Amino acid sequence: MTFMSKSVARLYTTFQPQNYNLALDLDLDTNLAAGKVIITGKRVGRPSQRLTFHGVGLKVSQATIVRHDKKLGDQTIEVSRVNLQQTLNEVRLHTEDQLYSGDYTVTIDFTAPIQPSMHGIYRSQFVDDGVTKTVISTQFESHHAREAFPCIDEPEAKATIDLTLTTDSGQTVISNMPSASQSEHDNKLTTVFETSPKMSTYLLAFVVGDLQHKTTQTSSGVSVSIYATKAHKPEALDFALDTTKRSIEFFDQYYGVPYPLPKCDMVAILDFSSAAMENWGLVTYREPYLLADPDTTSQSGKETIAMVIAHEISHQWFGNLVTMRWWNDLWLNESFANVMEYVAVDDMFPDWHIFNTFIASEGMSAFRRDSIAGVQSIKTEVRHPDEINSLFDPSIVYAKGGRLLNMLRTYIGEDDFRTGLTAYFEKHKYDNTTGDDLWAALAQASGKDVAAFMNPWLERSGFPVVSVNQTDSQLSVHQQHFLVDPSKADASRIWPVPLLASDSAVPSLLDKADSTTILASSDYVRINQGAVGHYIVHYVQPEHMAWVAQQAQSGELNEAERLMLLSDSGLLARNGTDSLASTLRLLDYYKDETSEPVWDTIALVVADSRRFIDSDPELEDKIKAYLRVLIEKQYQRLGWEPKADESNHDTKLRGTILGLGVYSEYPAIKDKALELFEAYKQDGKVVDSELRGIVFTAAVRFEATDAFDYLLKLEESTNNPNLKQEILGALTATRAPEKGAFLLSRLKDKSKVRQHDVDHWLVLLMRSRYHQALAWDWLRSEWPWIEETYGSDKSYDYFPRYAASALNTPSRVQEYKDFFLPMIGQPSLKLNITLGIEELDSRIAWIQRDLAAVQDFFKA
Ligand code: BES
Ligand code: ZN
């Protein structure tokens, strides 16, 4: 990790690689890879006495440079000195002679570490039947290929790659391309892979281990395989196999350009810093995001897997075939993959009605994050690669970006959107682009000025609140930058807002601050119909708002609109335009609500009110009593037993309702959960897998005999990744201080807690009233270990982010500042610390502002 934020030089401006011939000999006794890379390419730019590649932690033993000259033939240029520039991540080959522009072949012998961390070439271990086994895998995005071999590690530097791996024999060895040949000698296996198409280094990958797999073919003949360790039952691969095949077939059709490689492998890895990574032709996953035990995986578990697969398969085109030129256009990868997840899953599983989930989850996450002053825009300067990790903010680059692309898709229409995309792929395949290239293709297809519509949304942080004032048939609308701290809002910021109004006289686009219209009728108007527009609406007149709420109750508003209405109200409370008590009163109109995504939003509103408990502990019982009434009707409708042929939304809603029932200690729910836990201990079954986590949580929270120890043992002995996750949630629901302390005490024990799960255990304990003090102390006292273990990992900045999400009192906020402010100089933490403080300050102001109103609400 480097503590600098000066721009780094782009090496592609000095050398353009065309091919890497890379051989790695992986040795698990020494944890080293002995490598040789032959790089052919073009020297460009001014002549100098140096050739520079990226490299970190490599040891170079020898390097040669040959210049290819048409007239003079090949000339060897002596390398006089090799120097590793650590802070700049560079391997510099110095020469006595000048290196002029032209064609070169550079050969470098080196060793690279097989690391214990989760990037570069790294190892994971697991115990199967008492035997410890190792899986070697790679994670190169965003700038970790340089930890494996000297290369130009920038997305623009696309080259073909010939990879050869030498490993122990008896292992499965896979990479981006199919293997061309394999040979064995002295207990070693050498695998030569076919030459890849032109690709960026961050997408190279390989995996070596004792793996099982299943294979099928797409209708166009692409070979699809799922790989996992042998610790899983073979059927756990089936759902992913089918979903991957169907996703590729879907995108073949939708993008109108065929899947670019001969095969697509998906592999579940034990230690994995993300959920999944789209390496071209070899997608890697954290186990619970790929493997679905058909007997135990819940509906939500399957949905998550399908979404993640669709996301990564979308990247095989968007990102891999056509790649952003530089990381400032990262959204071209991630925002696109985000919306395409939903488009693909909606096509493959229409009865999941996944677009309502899109609006609920992506919308909520985007608006909440994007209303904090100082948040970055989707398109942001990236000067140093260490800033890239904080750019991958899921709420901005994924959620907000995905919402904006969906807004664009609606704005230009699905047909033109697809036509434009096909043209974009045809024109730029195996190459790099910027956002403008995409806008040009979509503008060509639609005849609309797409850049003018989209750039303001992408280049500015934040979003507008549109206030609506209606008197009879006169409507005035006004847009304004929305922030939780309104004093920091930028008054000059204007977006092109699609009004999507219910009255035909209202202009379709508001591209100035104010607009007044004489309506076609004097009926109350609704704005943002379909909830596709990326802004929130404030109906200023209380009667107008009451009318809209009435429309929600009578079902005039669809699910997406109903949940946006609530979500908008929650945001308006956060910045003091209104109060949380108004949002809670709005819930009166949702008494008959049956939609699962809407209920998720209701649950969030109630969760907001729980933030006030630290200021008034008596509120807790009142909130619980209120909740018990709130869920009554749906509990009666849904009960515990799944109905034959019920919708998947009802299946999931049952989980939401019973989860609220457990929290609020609804007696019948509590009793039944405890009864089901006893039954589970006998036969390992619950009525429906969707409810297993809730049953576990109830058992731990209400201290069913031995529940904690029973589940802990199960967590430690099972290889089922979904089960492990559910148990994680349940164990952290304990109220016993010594149990919370025990869970914290094992976080650093690698044999008990996977590296990638530590932040998850920790944040759940920090959010618990019963363990917050201890967990927050743990984070601070164990910081040296956190920094050492995660300092160069993608998850490093989750720690200040998660801590900010958990704390609710002024004294904690002071502690947060005292602890994190001194670290603000670290480029990978700076953003999340700044936003953490901003978020906490505005939350405290909100709690102080609304406490009395919330107390009043719950008194009644
Ligand atoms: N490319 C990312 C993973 C990634 C991001 C790796 C940043 C290294 C640095 C991948 O496509 C991704 O977006 N993964 C998501 C899952 C997705 C379904 C939202 C993740 O891991 O959270
Ligand atoms: Zn992605």
Side-chain angles (χ1 to χ4, degrees):
M1 185 185 19
T2 44
F3 287 14
M4 55 167 307
S5 53
K6 209 166 101 236
S7 293
V8 291
R10 304 271 190 91
L11 299 185
Y12 186 67
T13 58
T14 63
F15 190 83
Q16 302 179 342
Q18 283 151 355
N19 173 264
Y20 293 97
N21 191 320
L22 173 64
L24 291 168
D25 184 339
L26 306 168
D27 182 349
L28 278 175
D29 293 329
T30 57
N31 282 320
L32 288 175
K36 182 193 230 16
V37 65
I38 305 167
I39 310 171
T40 45
K42 269 194 179 353
R43 171 88 177 80
V44 290
R46 265 185 288 148
S48 79
Q49 287 164 286
R50 176 171 111 192
L51 258 188
T52 307
F53 297 95
H54 284 114
V56 180
L58 306 176
K59 286 209 173 62
V60 174
S61 56
Q62 202 189 325
T64 58
I65 300 176
V66 174
R67 171 153 201 238
H68 307 293
D69 191 294
K70 286 217 183 72
K71 280 197 218 121
L72 302 172
D74 288 357
Q75 301 165 278
T76 302
I77 297 171
E78 202 180 327
V79 177
S80 53
R81 191 164 59 90
V82 177
N83 123 269
L84 306 173
Q85 218 298 350
Q86 284 297 346
T87 32
L88 291 176
N89 297 186
E90 288 175 356
V91 175
R92 296 176 171 180
L93 311 182
H94 296 272
T95 56
E96 299 291 337
D97 297 338
Q98 288 285 347
L99 296 166
Y100 295 98
S101 51
D103 295 324
Y104 286 81
T105 299
V106 183
T107 306
I108 305 174
D109 292 301
F110 63 95
T111 51
I114 302 175
Q115 313 191 103
S117 58
M118 295 179 284
H119 50 79
I121 306 172
Y122 72 96
R123 54 185 194 269
S124 311
Q125 293 191 320
F126 70 108
V127 180
D128 188 23
D129 267 347
V131 185
T132 301
K133 296 182 172 170
T134 305
V135 172
I136 300 175
S137 46
T138 55
Q139 170 59 45
F140 289 172
E141 191 178 15
S142 49
H143 57 305
H144 301 294
R146 62 190 69 177
E147 292 163 21
F149 66 109
C151 56
I152 306 288
D153 197 12
E154 292 163 6
E156 188 173 5
K158 286 195 174 185
T160 56
I161 302 178
D162 287 284
L163 177 68
T164 300
L165 291 177
T166 300
T167 59
D168 291 341
S169 5
Q171 303 286 301
T172 298
V173 186
I174 44 181
S175 179
N176 308 76
M177 297 298 289
S179 102
S181 68
Q182 281 197 316
S183 56
E184 282 204 63
H185 48 92
D186 308 330
N187 271 334
K188 287 278 195 178
L189 174 68
T190 296
T191 308
V192 181
F193 294 95
E194 290 177 16
T195 309
S196 80
K198 273 179 76 183
M199 62 185 282
S200 307
T201 46
Y202 80 90
L203 293 167
L204 182 66
F206 54 83
V207 177
V208 181
D210 182 15
L211 306 176
Q212 61 171 323
H213 73 279
K214 282 196 178 179
T215 302
T216 186
Q217 291 221 327
T218 67
S219 53
S220 62
V222 175
S223 165
V224 174
S225 303
I226 311 295
Y227 287 85
T229 69
K230 293 175 178 164
H232 305 282
K233 9 174 157 156
E235 303 82 67
L237 281 56
D238 291 342
F239 181 72
L241 187 66
D242 186 52
T243 308
T244 305
K245 167 180 152 16
R246 291 173 61 195
S247 297
I248 295 177
E249 289 169 351
F250 170 78
F251 287 116
D252 271 342
Q253 284 289 316
Y254 190 90
Y255 289 148
V257 171
Y259 176 80
L261 301 180
K263 62 98 177 169
C264 184
D265 294 334
M266 316 289 250
V267 50
I269 305 287
L270 292 134
D271 293 290
F272 201 69
S273 149
S274 306
M277 172 66 211
E278 71 269 24
N279 315 296
W280 213 2
L282 179 60
V283 185
T284 40
Y285 292 80
R286 202 185 277 195
E287 289 189 331
Y289 297 105
L290 189 68
L291 304 177
D293 179 333
D295 299 327
T296 59
T297 306
S298 61
Q299 172 62 28
S300 351
K302 278 195 201 151
E303 283 183 18
T304 306
I305 292 172
M307 300 297 281
V308 180
I309 290 177
H311 177 108
E312 306 307 337
I313 296 296
S314 161
H315 275 316
Q316 306 301 307
W317 285 259
F318 242 105
N320 301 4
L321 180 63
V322 180
T323 312
M324 73 250 145
R325 178 148 292 144
W326 181 245
W327 298 104
N328 61 334
D329 273 320
L330 175 67
W331 64 273
L332 269 178
N333 274 7
E334 299 302 347
S335 307
F336 235 94
N338 178 273
V339 67
M340 292 314 298
E341 279 168 40
Y342 290 87
V343 175
V345 168
D346 198 32
D347 183 82
M348 293 189 282
F349 303 96
D351 55 340
W352 290 2
H353 302 289
I354 206 75
F355 261 98
N356 290 327
T357 310
F358 177 71
I359 296 188
S361 62
E362 310 293 340
M364 276 312 226
S365 141
F367 287 127
R368 287 189 170 198
R369 182 75 171 167
D370 208 15
S371 56
I372 304 172
V375 70
Q376 79 273 38
S377 53
I378 291 182
K379 230 180 135 162
T380 320
E381 262 339 287
V382 178
R383 289 157 307 181
H384 189 279
D386 284 348
E387 297 174 341
I388 296 172
N389 283 341
S390 55
L391 235 188
F392 275 89
D393 186 334
S395 311
I396 302 300
V397 175
Y398 291 75
K400 180 185 181 186
R403 266 188 72 84
L404 292 177
L405 289 171
N406 190 48
M407 179 166 89
L408 172 65
R409 184 170 151 250
T410 315
Y411 181 64
I412 67 175
E414 176 83 358
D415 289 347
D416 290 347
F417 188 71
R418 282 180 62 172
T419 310
L421 290 182
T422 306
Y424 173 80
F425 288 125
E426 285 297 351
K427 178 155 182 206
H428 301 289
K429 56 189 173 190
Y430 307 107
D431 209 345
N432 297 80
T433 54
T434 65
D436 289 334
D437 295 313
L438 178 64
W439 300 157
L442 295 172
Q444 174 81 33
S446 66
K448 291 203 166 103
D449 188 347
V450 175
F453 180 63
M454 290 302 280
N455 283 339
W457 292 98
L458 266 76
E459 286 166 2
R460 285 171 209 161
S461 66
F463 58 89
V465 50
V466 174
S467 346
V468 178
N469 257 296
Q470 181 175 358
T471 32
D472 302 325
S473 55
Q474 176 163 319
L475 179 83
S476 34
V477 288
H478 170 70
Q479 65 161 302
Q480 195 180 355
H481 180 203
F482 181 90
L483 283 181
V484 276
D485 180 350
S487 71
K488 295 186 173 141
D490 174 358
S492 67
R493 219 171 273 202
I494 301 292
W495 287 265
V497 175
L499 286 171
L500 306 164
S502 58
D503 187 290
S504 59
V506 179
S508 57
L509 208 65
L510 173 68
D511 52 7
K512 44 193 194 287
D514 294 281
S515 154
T516 301
T517 314
I518 301 301
L519 298 171
S521 96
S522 58
D523 294 347
Y524 274 129
V525 166
R526 283 201 298 112
I527 300 291
N528 202 9
Q529 292 186 101
V532 176
H534 189 64
Y535 55 93
I536 63 174
V537 182
H538 177 212
Y539 295 100
V540 177
Q541 274 93 22
E543 315 76 55
H544 194 167
M545 178 62 191
W547 174 83
V548 179
Q550 193 61 55
Q551 297 265 299
Q553 185 168 30
S554 65
E556 292 295 317
L557 306 195
N558 67 24
E559 282 176 62
E561 294 165 340
R562 297 203 292 278
L563 72 86
M564 269 295 271
L565 185 68
L566 258 188
S567 151
D568 287 1
S569 164
L571 283 158
L572 292 169
R574 285 184 170 223
N575 94 333
T577 303
D578 206 332
S579 127
L580 184 61
S582 300
T583 313
L584 289 162
R585 278 194 293 274
L586 183 59
L587 288 182
D588 276 350
Y589 294 89
Y590 289 73
K591 283 207 182 90
D592 301 320
E593 186 58 60
T594 58
S595 149
E596 185 260 338
V598 180
W599 266 98
D600 282 346
T601 313
I602 296 176
L604 271 178
V605 169
V606 179
D608 272 347
S609 60
R610 285 159 61 179
R611 293 208 175 267
F612 293 71
I613 295 175
D614 280 329
S615 305
D616 175 6
E618 285 181 12
L619 270 176
E620 177 153 34
D621 283 342
K622 293 179 185 150
I623 294 175
K624 286 182 178 172
Y626 169 80
L627 256 177
R628 291 193 291 268
V629 177
L630 193 70
I631 62 172
E632 173 71 29
K633 200 161 195 167
Q634 293 311 307
Y635 173 54
Q636 295 307 340
R637 181 172 79 86
L638 296 163
W640 283 84
E641 292 282 340
K643 317 244 174 329
D645 298 331
E646 71 182 5
S647 71
N648 80 316
H649 274 196
D650 271 357
T651 310
K652 289 198 298 172
L653 179 58
R654 180 176 298 108
T656 307
I657 297 295
L658 294 174
L660 292 171
V662 168
Y663 167 75
S664 63
E665 303 183 35
Y666 189 110
I669 294 177
K670 174 178 164 183
D671 293 348
K672 180 73 178 178
L674 292 175
E675 183 192 316
L676 289 172
F677 182 67
E678 288 313 312
Y680 181 85
K681 287 205 286 189
Q682 302 307 318
D683 62 7
K685 291 198 182 105
V686 283
V687 271
D688 181 46
S689 43
E690 195 68 35
L691 307 178
R692 190 177 38 233
I694 289 155
V695 169
F696 290 170
T697 301
V700 171
R701 172 157 305 150
F702 304 125
E703 301 190 326
T705 325
D706 294 338
F708 189 90
D709 295 336
Y710 174 88
L711 288 171
L712 185 67
K713 236 199 224 129
L714 185 57
E715 203 279 336
E716 290 179 354
S717 59
T718 181
N719 280 318
N720 181 328
N722 303 101
L723 198 58
K724 272 182 184 287
Q725 281 198 319
E726 288 163 6
I727 300 176
L728 190 166
L731 292 177
T732 54
T734 175
R735 293 166 173 174
E738 71 286 357
K739 295 202 167 98
F742 165 78
L743 292 177
L744 286 168
S745 75
R746 65 201 268 287
L747 284 187
K748 283 164 61 184
D749 181 348
K750 276 194 173 181
S751 69
K752 306 261 189 237
V753 179
R754 290 249 162 236
Q755 253 187 87
H756 62 226
D757 281 330
V758 169
D759 54 1
H760 197 181
W761 287 96
L762 184 61
V763 68
L764 292 182
L765 291 166
M766 269 195 298
R767 285 185 191 154
S768 156
R769 293 212 299 119
Y770 302 93
H771 312 296
Q772 181 173 87
L774 212 56
W776 172 226
D777 279 349
W778 189 93
L779 180 149
R780 287 177 293 170
S781 59
E782 295 297 344
W783 190 263
W785 177 80
I786 293 177
E787 181 168 350
E788 151 105 30
T789 315
Y790 301 99
S792 52
D793 191 77
K794 179 179 168 230
S795 62
Y796 187 40
D797 73 346
Y798 295 177
F799 290 91
R801 181 168 182 161
Y802 287 163
S805 77
L807 309 176
N808 297 312
T809 61
S811 58
R812 288 267 187 259
V813 174
Q814 193 52 50
E815 289 167 5
Y816 184 99
K817 291 177 183 169
D818 292 344
F819 183 70
F820 280 119
L821 269 176
M823 297 182 209
I824 206 151
Q826 301 186 29
S828 46
L829 295 184
K830 181 172 188 238
L831 185 68
N832 270 353
I833 295 175
T834 313
L835 294 180
I837 291 173
E838 191 63 38
E839 180 183 0
L840 287 166
D841 282 341
S842 56
R843 182 179 306 141
I844 297 301
W846 173 37
I847 290 173
Q848 287 170 351
R849 198 171 57 229
D850 268 5
L851 181 61
V854 170
Q855 284 168 325
D856 273 357
F857 176 86
F858 286 108
K859 217 180 276 159

